[in-house]
Every structure is written in structure tokens, then in C-alpha cells.
Amino acid sequence: NVSGDSNTALGSSALSSLNTASNNIGIGFLCGSGITSGLNNILLGNNSLGNCNGDFNTCIGENSGNSLTTTDSNNTLINSLG
């Protein structure tokens, strides 16, 4: 994390590409691994919200929100949804 702050990651490669992203929580293998600038996202589940740089997204479940890219304010709560 270069200039972002207040991020919490638990899991191998979770939130591993953060640059200016802040206030994100990622729990699970590879969750949010492609996020560089997203804000205030909550991710729970392996590979959830993989590459989205949007803000205020909540993704719960394996691969949930994984097809989202730069969208904001989404809630995905089902395995492999999004």
C-alpha cells in the first residue's frame, strides 16, 4: 500500500495490489487482489471483488462481485454472483 490507509487484509494475497486505496476490509484468499484505488469496500470470501476499483461495495461469498470493474455501491451476497 503506497499512500492509502486504514486497510485490513486477512488471507494469502488479499488486497495485495493496493496503491491509493483506503478503508477496505478483505478476508479470504485473493479477495480484492486487483484493487488499486477502491475505497470503503468490504470483502468476505475467496477471490471476491477481484479487480474492482469502485467504492462502497460489499461482497460476501466466493467469487462474489468478481466481474465488477469500476462500479460503486454494490452488494453481492451469493457465491459466484456478479
Side-chain angles (χ1 to χ4, degrees):
N1 198 354
V2 176
S3 63
D5 59 20
S6 301
N7 295 294
T8 303
L10 178 63
S12 179
S13 296
L15 303 177
S16 58
S17 298
L18 300 182
N19 188 2
T20 59
S22 296
N23 304 317
N24 295 289
I25 299 170
I27 300 173
F29 174 70
L30 288 175
C31 70
S33 60
I35 295 174
T36 58
S37 61
L39 304 172
N40 301 303
N41 295 296
I42 300 172
L43 321 172
L44 177 61
N46 293 344
N47 205 35
S48 58
L49 201 65
N51 295 303
C52 182
N53 282 306
D55 304 328
F56 303 101
N57 295 294
T58 302
C59 296
I60 300 174
E62 185 175 24
N63 296 316
S64 62
N66 215 22
S67 64
L68 302 175
T69 54
T70 56
T71 186
D72 298 332
S73 302
N74 291 281
N75 296 304
T76 58
L77 302 172
I78 299 174
N79 185 33
S80 299
L81 179 70

